[in-house]
Amino acid sequence: MFAEARLTNLIANLLALLAVLAIVVGAVVWTIRRPYFSIARIELAPMAGSTLQYVTPLSLQTALAGQVRGNFFLMDLDAARRRIESAPWVRHAIVRRVWPATLHVRVEEQQPLAFWNENQMINTWGEAFTANQGELPDGLDLPQLNGPANSERLVVQRYAEIARWFAPLGLSVREATLTPRYAWEVTLSDNVHLTLGRDPAADVADPHGRSGALPFAARIERFVQAWPELTRRLSGRMIASADLRYPNGFAITLAPETSASSQSTRP
């Protein structure tokens, strides 16, 4: 009898405790769902050692609008980070909560290196991204790079190599194209078009410039070394194009001679 009464009291106490816990949990859930804890502000800051030029709090609010639900307590920060990283000009983001209704977002912006194919850009890490090209600063002169899918890193690597070769001549690369057959076409800042032929290392992007890149580099080096003497012999005539694919030299095509250049070259 005593044991039955004790068990009854234990069950009653347990049920009372569960009821209290249910009330507490319900109160907590009700509290954290109040509008007071809705995210009302986004604090934006650059990653350490960088600045922000294109990303704004408004652009982040637009990226998150209707895509990530929840308030200060309930928001999925990983989902918010992924959504922010899908916004234009954002490469990486770190998101954390700041009491009571703020999201603090640190952003690493895309750093545009060149235009990529028809409507994208490519960053300094060799990654393609999409953003409004009209937001680029006035006077920023970016080269045009082209290539097949998944060739971004290789194209950026070769672009940098070619640019270094021609920099001592006061020339830059205006456009570089890797064709579907992995051959290179380059246009320099003076409008000279170069046909470089197939890249022996085009199948694998080697960040150290090895793995068969020597023949490719040798063709460019040969042309660069011949450039000063070549321009001296041409006496002001402009080169329209050069074909560097020959094993022992290269072929050039001269631009049409204008009346002004004809007069300047007469004895």
Side-chain angles (χ1 to χ4, degrees):
M1 210 52 170
F2 176 77
E4 291 180 359
R6 185 176 180 182
L7 179 60
T8 300
N9 289 336
L10 181 61
I11 292 173
N13 290 338
L14 180 60
L15 291 175
L17 177 61
L18 291 176
V20 171
L21 289 176
I23 293 173
V24 171
V25 170
V28 170
V29 171
W30 181 87
T31 301
I32 65 176
R33 290 182 181 276
R34 294 304 87 201
Y36 175 73
F37 298 109
S38 298
I39 298 298
R41 183 183 177 204
I42 294 179
E43 288 183 348
L44 177 62
M47 295 282 192
S50 65
T51 59
L52 295 180
Q53 185 173 0
Y54 306 104
V55 181
T56 66
L58 178 59
S59 67
L60 296 187
Q61 289 174 351
T62 302
L64 292 174
Q67 301 296 323
V68 180
R69 294 179 173 81
N71 57 19
F72 181 85
F73 297 101
L74 303 177
M75 177 172 283
D76 185 337
L77 293 186
D78 282 338
R81 176 187 56 79
R82 290 193 297 270
R83 183 62 189 174
I84 290 171
E85 289 180 345
S86 70
W89 297 110
V90 178
R91 183 172 184 257
H92 287 313
I94 298 175
V95 183
R96 65 181 179 88
R97 301 178 179 92
V98 178
W99 179 265
T102 298
L103 275 186
H104 183 78
V105 182
R106 297 179 70 88
V107 165
E108 177 188 8
E109 277 190 340
Q110 300 282 8
Q111 299 298 319
L113 173 70
F115 299 113
W116 175 247
N117 289 336
E118 291 186 6
N119 55 9
Q120 286 189 297
M121 287 178 278
I122 197 165
N123 64 25
T124 52
W125 296 273
E127 301 162 345
F129 69 97
T130 302
N132 183 4
Q133 297 178 7
E135 296 178 5
L136 292 169
D138 293 338
L140 180 62
D141 188 17
L142 297 180
Q144 174 69 50
L145 304 182
N146 309 291
N150 302 318
S151 66
E152 293 91 340
R153 288 184 60 194
L154 175 63
V155 173
V156 168
Q157 175 185 321
R158 289 294 184 260
Y159 160 75
E161 293 172 357
I162 296 168
R164 283 196 299 268
W165 277 111
F166 283 96
L169 302 178
L171 298 172
S172 59
V173 176
R174 177 173 296 170
E175 183 171 0
T177 298
L178 179 63
T179 70
R181 299 184 63 183
Y182 287 91
W184 289 96
E185 302 284 338
V186 171
T187 302
L188 300 176
S189 55
D190 61 353
N191 292 323
V192 174
H193 181 82
L194 304 178
T195 301
L196 303 179
R198 195 177 187 280
D199 186 348
D203 296 330
V204 179
D206 181 358
H208 303 292
R210 300 176 303 220
S211 181
L214 180 60
F216 175 82
R219 288 175 239 159
I220 303 173
E221 181 181 16
R222 182 174 57 197
F223 182 74
V224 168
Q225 290 179 344
W227 181 271
E229 177 63 17
L230 179 62
T231 53
R232 186 189 67 81
R233 290 188 178 185
L234 291 176
S235 302
R237 289 291 304 275
M238 301 298 296
I239 298 174
S241 63
D243 189 339
L244 279 58
R245 294 174 294 177
Y246 294 89
N248 299 314
F250 53 84
I252 64 170
T253 301
L254 295 179
E257 190 172 9
T258 63
S259 58
S261 62
S262 301
Q263 294 172 2
S264 65
T265 58
R266 289 174 183 171

